[in-house]
């Protein structure tokens, strides 16, 4: 392959499953420092390793979700997004509330007395979090004896903002301008970046923390969405990808607060190119366990601490928690996520004919 050659993106033959799993593992590593009680861990510009991994998730998600919207009618698109996020999320809430929580109560108190009646009750925990907006992190008096007390899952909060981006793309996908070229999505990316850059000046309008979190994450998502149009119409170029990786690294390293958001399209392009040259194991190609890994890692890490995992030392603790999480992630994929997606898989009539999208398409 020459640096000047453009080639279609291999939608069916890439390593995105592996990349997302690695990003989920980096979130586990970052959270391990807090949960283990070993300080804050590696940071860059006030953002820990997990925060930068979430940024990687969002740029890849923006690319993939935009492609899904371009190829899918509004109803099926929304159904697919709900099926991908909610079933495994709800099962995770139930497992935490009615399996992990009781286990923690027995380990800490030796009894389940008061578990189902002490606020926040397990029923309240599930009910208050059903919408993806995480309103409750605690269950009763559980996790009171660990270094990071009371918090059952500190990772789930990002799902609300990711799904909000799904909804924005759902709406934009109904506009002809959005489907025909990148002008509209480029405008949305620039607007989202501007909102994040000038967010401190917007505080006077009384906007709450949830707006700030969406403002922080949306540029990553729409940076990935913007890159979809370039890659789908032109393909990938090795020289351009290498330049993008270097440029995104420099922006992230040397521009505090908003450099990562500004680098989002470059980061997306570079990661997508890497996903075509880095091989992934066949098992990972067949089993997309990254979502399950992400949603189960934190509660598993807390339980491992309760079971004496701190005695292993931080590196072995991370490995043990990661191995248990991977087993649960695979179970989630096999028993919940894949069956849910198969139930809503299109059986004809859901995909847009290629000619409704201007420009060549390389979707397999």
């Amino acid at each position: 392959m020459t640096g000047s050659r453009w080639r279609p993106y291999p939608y069916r033959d890439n390593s995105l499953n592996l990349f997302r799993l690695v990003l989920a593992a980096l979130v586990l590593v970052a959270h391990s420092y807090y949960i283990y009680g070993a300080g804050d861990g590696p940071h860059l510009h006030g953002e820990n390793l997990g925060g930068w991994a979430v940024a990687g998730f969002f740029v890849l998600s923006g690319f993939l979700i935009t492609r899904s919207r371009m190829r899918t009618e509004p109803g099926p698109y929304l159904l697919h997004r709900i099926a991908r996020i909610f079933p495994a999320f709800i099962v995770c809430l139930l497992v935490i509330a009615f399996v992990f929580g009781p286990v923690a109560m027995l380990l800490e108190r030796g009894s389940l007395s008061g578990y189902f009646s002490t606020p926040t009750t397990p029923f309240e925990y599930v009910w208050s979090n059903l919408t993806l907006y995480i309103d409750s992190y605690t269950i009763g008096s559980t996790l009171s004896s660990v270094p990071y007390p009371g918090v059952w899952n500190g990772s789930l909060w990002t799902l609300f903002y990711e799904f909000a981006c799904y909804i924005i793309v759902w709406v934009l996908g109904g506009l002809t301008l959005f489907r025909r070229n990148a002008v509209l999505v480029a405008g949305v990316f620039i607007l989202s970046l501007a909102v994040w850059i000038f967010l401190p000046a917007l505080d006077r309008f009384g906007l709450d923390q949830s707006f700030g979190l969406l403002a922080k994450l949306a540029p990553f998502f729409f940076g990935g969405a913007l890159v979809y149009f370039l890659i789908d119409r032109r393909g990938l170029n090795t020289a351009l990808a290498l330049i993008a990786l270097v440029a995104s690294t420099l922006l992230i390293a040397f521009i505090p607060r908003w450099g990562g958001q500004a680098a989002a399209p470059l980061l997306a392009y570079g990661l997508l190119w890497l996903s075509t040259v880095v091989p992934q194991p066949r098992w990972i190609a067949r089993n997309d366990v990254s979502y399950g890994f992400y949603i189960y890692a934190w509660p598993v890490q807390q339980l491992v601490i309760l079971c004496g995992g701190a005695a292993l030392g931080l590196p072995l603790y991370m490995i043990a928690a990661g191995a248990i999480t991977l087993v649960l992630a695979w179970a989630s994929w096999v028993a919940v996520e894949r069956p849910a997606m198969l139930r809503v898989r299109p059986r004809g009539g859901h995909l847009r004919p290629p000619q409704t999208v201007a420009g060549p398409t390389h979707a397999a």
Side-chain angles (χ1 to χ4, degrees):
M1 183 190 339
T2 63
S4 61
R5 178 184 171 188
W6 293 82
R7 60 191 177 94
Y9 185 76
Y11 288 107
R12 293 184 180 273
D13 186 21
N14 56 65
S15 298
L16 287 180
N17 282 3
L18 174 64
F19 275 45
R20 288 184 301 222
L21 181 57
V22 169
L23 292 171
L26 290 176
V27 173
L28 180 147
V29 169
H31 290 165
S32 291
Y33 289 91
Y34 300 99
I35 296 171
Y36 185 88
D40 295 340
H43 274 66
L44 176 64
H45 300 317
E47 191 69 67
N48 67 19
L49 186 62
W52 291 111
V54 167
F57 268 121
F58 268 70
V59 297
L60 295 179
S61 182
F63 173 83
L64 293 170
I65 296 306
T66 302
R67 177 177 186 253
S68 174
R69 184 63 182 96
M70 293 288 284
R71 301 175 69 244
T72 314
E73 296 296 335
Y77 165 87
L78 191 57
L79 185 61
H80 296 168
R81 303 282 60 81
I82 291 171
R84 186 66 186 100
I85 294 292
F86 275 92
F89 170 76
I90 292 171
V91 170
C92 181
L93 293 180
L94 293 171
V95 169
I96 291 172
F98 299 107
V99 179
F100 292 174
V103 169
M105 188 75 169
L106 290 171
L107 289 171
E108 291 182 295
R109 309 280 179 171
S111 167
L112 291 179
S113 177
Y115 178 74
F116 294 99
S117 59
T118 302
T120 300
T121 72
F123 301 98
E124 290 176 301
Y125 175 81
V126 173
W127 176 252
S128 64
N129 294 328
L130 273 179
T131 62
L132 293 180
Y133 189 86
I134 305 303
D135 196 47
S136 298
Y137 287 88
T138 63
I139 301 176
S141 60
T142 59
L143 298 181
S144 60
S145 62
V146 296
Y148 202 100
V151 177
W152 266 109
N153 205 325
S155 300
L156 298 181
W157 68 269
T158 63
L159 300 180
F160 175 83
Y161 301 99
E162 182 168 2
F163 200 82
C165 291
Y166 294 176
I167 297 300
I168 295 172
V169 169
W170 178 56
V171 173
L172 292 176
L175 304 176
T176 301
L177 179 61
F178 179 84
R179 297 197 302 271
R180 286 187 173 175
N181 56 61
V183 171
L184 183 56
V185 73
V188 172
F189 167 69
I190 293 170
L191 176 63
S192 67
L193 178 60
V195 169
W196 172 243
I197 291 173
F198 296 106
L199 186 64
L202 299 177
D203 284 345
R204 71 186 68 178
F205 299 108
L207 298 168
D208 63 9
Q209 184 184 25
S210 62
F211 179 85
L213 291 172
L214 179 60
K216 178 180 181 178
L217 294 173
F220 292 113
F221 187 94
F222 290 105
L226 176 59
V227 166
Y228 164 77
F229 287 90
L230 172 62
I231 289 180
D232 198 61
R233 284 154 175 71
R234 294 295 306 274
L236 284 167
N237 178 278
T238 298
L240 184 60
L242 293 174
I243 293 170
L245 286 171
V246 172
S248 62
T249 300
L250 293 175
L251 283 169
I252 291 169
F254 294 107
I255 299 183
R257 208 179 78 81
W258 57 267
Q261 284 82 356
L266 301 170
L267 182 62
Y269 195 90
L271 288 177
L272 288 162
W273 173 79
L274 283 174
S275 75
T276 69
V277 297
V278 176
Q280 69 180 354
R282 186 173 301 176
W283 183 84
I284 294 178
R286 294 196 307 263
N287 298 278
D288 185 7
V289 297
S290 58
Y291 179 49
F293 195 100
Y294 183 79
I295 62 178
Y296 280 102
W298 184 294
V300 166
Q301 289 173 276
Q302 291 282 43
L303 284 180
V304 171
I305 290 292
L306 275 180
C307 292
L312 297 170
L314 184 58
L316 287 179
Y317 162 72
M318 291 180 184
I319 293 171
I324 297 169
T325 302
L326 186 61
V327 172
L328 290 174
W330 176 80
S332 176
W333 167 254
V334 171
V336 182
E337 298 167 48
R338 185 167 62 188
M341 290 188 293
L342 287 174
R343 284 187 173 273
V344 299
R345 175 175 290 178
R347 300 180 182 276
H350 292 339
L351 297 181
R352 294 184 182 277
Q355 60 267 26
T356 64
V357 181
T361 178
H362 305 303

